[in-house]
Amino acid sequence: MSEEEAPRLTRIQQKNRDLILDGALDVFSTHGFRGATIDQIAEASGLSKPNVLYYFASKDDIYRTLLTALLDVWLAPMRGLDPRGEPMAEILTYVRAKLDLSRDYPRESRLFANEVLQGAPHLQPILGGQLRDMVDETVGIIGGWIGEGRLAPVDPHHLIFSIWALTQHYADFEVQVRAVLGEDHDPYAEAELFLNNLYQRMLAV
Amino acid sequence: MSEEEAPRLTRIQQKNRDLILDGALDVFSTHGFRGATIDQIAEASGLSKPNVLYYFASKDDIYRTLLTALLDVWLAPMRGLDPRGEPMAEILTYVRAKLDLSRDYPRESRLFANEVLQGAPHLQPILGGQLRDMVDETVGIIGGWIGEGRLAPVDPHHLIFSIWALTQHYADFEVQVRAVLGEDHDPYAEAELFLNNLYQRMLAV
DNA sequence: AGAATAATTGACCAACCGGTCAGGCTCACG
DNA sequence: CGTGAGCCTGACCGGTTGGTCAATTATTCT
């Protein structure tokens, strides 16, 4: 049984690691792993390049730290789905939670999108492991609801994909959404209404 | 009035430019612009690096050529939408056409996704110009159908976004979709059924 | 055939890349 | 207030990057 060591960070360590991760999130989410440079991360975080590498062993180390921290936040909403709840309300709550993530953490969404888009070289095992297990469980729950006649019969896997696609689209393709809509729109407010309507019509028995 | 010059390519020029663009599509679509290297493109296309730069002035030149060629293919389905057609059938045809693009041209989809994800530095003017105009027109058509009571009342802009998000998701997040579904699935066949069902339920009056 | 033109390449360049390191600075703590 | 651990940096390194160029080879055209 391995003791989890608590690194016990100093005040400065805590502050600078946070600065680096925040700057790195900017850079990685807009350029992808290969397109990002340590110099850019250093500038974005307001530290010198050697100092960045004083707190993280390598570019890869920064990236991996970001990805693992992201995963917890990202998958949390799906864990919140309650099998004993009212099916439609549970689904709509999940959709709402995912849309809120896109609005409040667009950089994280784009980081994840970049990673998957480029073949998920850093987290392919997680996709086919942890994520797949969690999805299978959720598919079971939704399938149960459908079997009980409490939701319209739809493919649960693709229902989940649709929620991911529709909510993350507003973060990942934000420049396109804003360019097409123009100034006088609030994409997320409109999206919330639209998605509520969509899933109610789609899933009502 | 500027005469459009016809470059009159030789047989070898035609073949090698095609080879380069095909290899570059592989590389750019999986690494993004900044993450791609001319060496990779040269290897992917089976030519030497200087020879690649004999046919294209720069890395940027290759990328721009790919993007502009892509745009025509990419926006063609929306042009096919007929205001005089039967609304539901027109929408379902559009969805089907976009899904077919994702299945048959996944690299193009990922190239576009990469570009937009990274802030669309090469085609922002097009997004707010040509694309926005085309969307506005389509929004007008759909809005007309809704006004006539031939489609359920939904926000036309977000209806279009939903079609883009749902269809491109299967190309852009292909590794995730396959990892979650496992081996015994045909994502696109299932998606076609799912999306047909989705939009019929959503848009039926 | 042979001259003109197109195609191809090895060698090279300056700038940039991820990362190292010796040495100086600073700050908490006795 | 001293001292040692923690913090920071300029200078540097080998490898990679986008791109050039002179020289060579292949192709086309008369």
Side-chain angles (χ1 to χ4, degrees), chain B residues 6 17 28 101 130 136 148 156 179 191 200 204:
Chain B
R17 283 181 64 96
F28 281 129
L101 278 189
Q130 185 186 343
D136 280 347
E148 299 166 4
Q200 254 162 14

Side-chain angles (χ1 to χ4, degrees), chain A residues 187-203:
Chain A
Y188 285 103
E190 296 171 7
E192 195 191 325
L193 295 177
F194 178 83
L195 293 181
N196 245 293
N197 182 28
L198 189 163
Y199 282 106
Q200 254 162 14
R201 288 182 147 268
M202 181 188 176
L203 297 174

Side-chain angles (χ1 to χ4, degrees), chain B residues 111-133:
Chain B
L111 181 72
F112 188 80
N114 256 309
E115 167 69 11
V116 176
L117 200 58
Q118 305 186 359
H122 289 79
L123 47 74
Q124 193 137 33
I126 292 178
L127 297 185
Q130 185 186 343
L131 177 65
R132 186 178 172 180
D133 293 343

Side-chain angles (χ1 to χ4, degrees), chain A residues 180, chain B residues 75-83 87 90-91 94 130-146 151 154-161 163-164:
Chain A
V180 167
Chain B
L75 300 182
M78 197 153 72
R79 280 189 250 268
L81 217 131
D82 182 4
E90 289 296 320
I91 300 280
Y94 177 48
Q130 185 186 343
L131 177 65
R132 186 178 172 180
D133 293 343
M134 198 182 315
V135 168
D136 280 347
E137 196 179 332
T138 307
V139 164
I141 296 173
I142 296 175
W145 287 336
I146 293 174
L151 283 181
V154 299
D155 186 322
H157 276 116
H158 292 267
L159 171 60
I160 293 171
F161 291 155
I163 296 173
W164 291 349

Side-chain angles (χ1 to χ4, degrees), chain A residues 29 102 105-107 109-114 117 164-181 187-188, chain B residues 70 74 98 102 106 108-120 123-124 127 131 158 160-173:
Chain A
S29 67
S102 279
Y105 302 97
R107 297 179 305 171
S109 184
R110 285 193 280 269
L111 181 72
F112 187 80
N114 256 308
L117 201 57
W164 291 350
L166 287 171
T167 55
Q168 291 173 9
H169 183 81
Y170 288 95
D172 300 343
F173 290 75
E174 185 182 321
V175 291
Q176 192 186 31
V177 168
R178 294 201 182 276
V180 167
L181 285 181
Y188 285 103
Chain B
L70 158 67
W74 219 239
K98 282 292 288 175
S102 278
E108 281 82 350
S109 184
R110 285 192 280 267
L111 181 72
F112 188 80
N114 256 309
E115 167 69 11
V116 176
L117 200 58
Q118 305 186 359
L123 47 74
Q124 193 137 33
L127 297 185
L131 177 65
H158 292 267
I160 293 171
F161 291 155
S162 77
I163 296 173
W164 291 349
L166 288 170
T167 54
Q168 290 172 9
H169 184 81
Y170 289 94
D172 300 344
F173 290 76

